[in-house]
Amino acid sequence: MNFWQQLPKPFVALAPMDGVSDTVFRHVIAQAAAPDVWFSEFTNATGWVKAGERAVGTRLVKTPDEHPLVAQLWGADPDDMAQLAQHCAQLGYDGLDLNTGCPDSHAIKTGGGAALIKNPTLTSELVAALRTAGLPVSIKCRLGYSSTSEWRGWISHLLKEQPVALTVHLRTKKEMSKVDAHWELMPEIVKLRDELAPSTLIIGNGDVHDRAHAEVLAARTGIDGVMIGRGIFTNPYAFELQPRPHSRAELLSLLGAQLDWHDRIAAEYGERNFEPLKRFFKIYVRDFEGATNLRTQLMDAHSTAEVRDLLKFYTPTAANFGTIHTDAR
């Protein structure tokens, strides 16, 4: 029995997000409120095969306490996919997920991501390649490339591969995230699953705010799980079992935890670029007096030390930032 079969229903997952869902941010969310399933950033198999860690940086870094954690991989070469899948198994990942929905132009130009919607034969070959690692294989997809009318044929093909789970982002590649997710289609997708792959878990993705919202959607559509992506940027406590208001000190404490984990991973795996940290400031520095001014100052910072110095003026506990909560999960 793999971990997917032991999850509560409905379960919630943190989406694989480029430049976001690395081990640093996963530990921050674990401190706030943990999901039931974690996904890594999506990682290019061919880039890793050709250039190793230089190509993927710390995308696949995980700590021993991170479970269940699924590595999301993308690419268009089955041999490369098999090699990276086996590497992920050695790293201690609990599952592998094939990205067939990324709309990024580079991914599509090289035949990966959403380009696979137009190449179902290659998609099947990539699924087979992932299975050589011996881990449960799931798939993340969109409804289609250009039109929602493509969903039945495309998702039928994926279900026939019998993945352990299928996450459906309820938009097409063309729609990106510019329209509301088509949740009205999910009951029909569940019905199709029941016909073609009854053991495959169906996960819905798109415009989900928090765990409470996920439970409403699951009850309405019959899905097994829900994935939250961009919702985490407006509420880092999105996975709470019992939602409650959170204070300025709590939010800034999460920022402190992110600084700590950033420095720790940098010390263990090599220097990390500070600038990407700035995209996270808006998650924690908001909805309190002085937040706008603080964000402005933080955006001019050049190191985690400078950020800590700025935070000292906004909360009496900020000076104590330094404790890493390894048991938060």
Side-chain angles (χ1 to χ4, degrees):
M1 180 179 292
N2 62 61
F3 80 88
W4 287 105
Q5 297 166 313
Q6 301 173 5
L7 294 173
K9 291 186 181 179
F11 56 84
V12 290
L14 178 64
M17 292 177 282
D18 188 34
V20 177
S21 51
D22 65 352
T23 188
V24 171
F25 191 61
R26 293 195 302 264
H27 279 87
V28 175
I29 297 304
Q31 179 171 321
D36 302 305
V37 185
W38 305 87
F39 283 78
S40 73
E41 297 180 82
F42 45 88
T43 303
N44 178 237
T46 297
W48 179 81
V49 168
K50 289 183 176 180
E53 303 307 319
R54 288 189 297 111
V56 302
T58 56
R59 284 173 176 271
L60 291 175
V61 168
K62 64 179 294 297
T63 57
D65 61 323
E66 293 189 90
H67 296 289
L69 178 58
V70 179
Q72 193 189 67
L73 310 182
W74 72 272
D77 186 304
D79 291 337
D80 292 347
M81 192 69 73
Q83 290 185 57
L84 183 53
Q86 291 158 20
H87 177 64
C88 289
Q90 295 170 357
L91 290 175
Y93 276 87
D94 302 293
L96 301 168
D97 189 74
L98 177 63
N99 181 319
T100 70
C102 178
D104 178 75
S105 59
H106 174 67
I108 291 173
K109 183 178 180 180
T110 56
L116 292 172
I117 300 171
K118 296 183 176 183
N119 197 341
T121 299
L122 176 58
T123 301
S124 296
E125 293 173 358
L126 293 170
V127 171
L130 288 177
R131 285 187 168 133
T132 63
L135 295 177
V137 173
S138 55
I139 302 172
K140 189 170 188 287
C141 71
R142 285 179 177 252
L143 293 172
Y145 198 90
S146 300
S147 171
T148 56
S149 63
E150 301 170 29
W151 78 262
R152 186 173 295 275
W154 171 231
I155 291 179
S156 292
H157 179 82
L158 297 178
L159 287 171
K160 289 175 182 177
E161 292 298 323
Q162 303 290 317
V164 66
L166 177 65
T167 301
V168 183
H169 181 161
L170 291 155
R171 298 182 178 93
T172 65
K173 179 270 176 190
K174 183 178 179 179
E175 290 174 329
M176 301 289 281
S177 294
K178 298 176 182 178
V179 302
D180 292 341
H182 299 283
W183 279 94
E184 71 278 2
L185 295 176
M186 188 55 89
E188 284 298 307
I189 294 173
V190 171
K191 182 179 179 181
L192 184 65
R193 181 279 308 272
D194 294 343
E195 296 171 1
L196 299 179
S199 63
T200 295
L201 301 171
I202 296 294
I203 305 169
N205 176 220
D207 301 335
V208 185
H209 308 309
D210 54 26
R211 186 185 288 266
H213 186 205
E215 291 175 351
V216 170
L217 291 169
R220 182 186 304 160
T221 62
I223 54 178
D224 303 289
V226 179
M227 181 176 283
I228 298 177
R230 292 180 302 159
I232 206 73
F233 279 91
T234 56
N235 179 15
Y237 297 92
F239 296 107
E240 281 184 318
L241 293 172
Q242 298 293 331
R244 65 176 180 82
H246 292 276
S247 67
R248 176 182 68 179
E250 287 177 297
L251 286 166
L252 294 183
S253 178
L254 289 183
L255 175 53
Q258 184 147 2
L259 301 175
D260 292 339
W261 276 102
H262 176 94
D263 290 346
R264 172 171 172 171
I265 297 302
E268 293 185 14
Y269 295 94
E271 185 176 353
R272 290 170 60 91
N273 186 0
F274 171 79
E275 289 301 308
L277 262 181
K278 294 181 178 181
R279 75 179 66 179
F280 296 94
F281 293 161
K282 63 183 179 182
I283 300 178
Y284 317 111
V285 185
R286 57 179 174 81
D287 302 329
F288 60 79
E289 184 177 355
T292 301
N293 182 54
L294 176 56
R295 278 200 308 273
T296 299
Q297 294 179 70
L298 291 174
M299 293 303 290
D300 290 331
H302 298 92
S303 69
T304 55
E306 287 184 36
V307 173
R308 288 189 180 90
D309 285 341
L310 288 167
L311 293 178
K312 290 177 183 178
F313 296 98
Y314 286 85
T315 171
T317 61
N320 298 320
F321 288 161
T323 301
I324 294 176
H325 302 274
T326 56
D327 61 346
R329 196 158 309 158

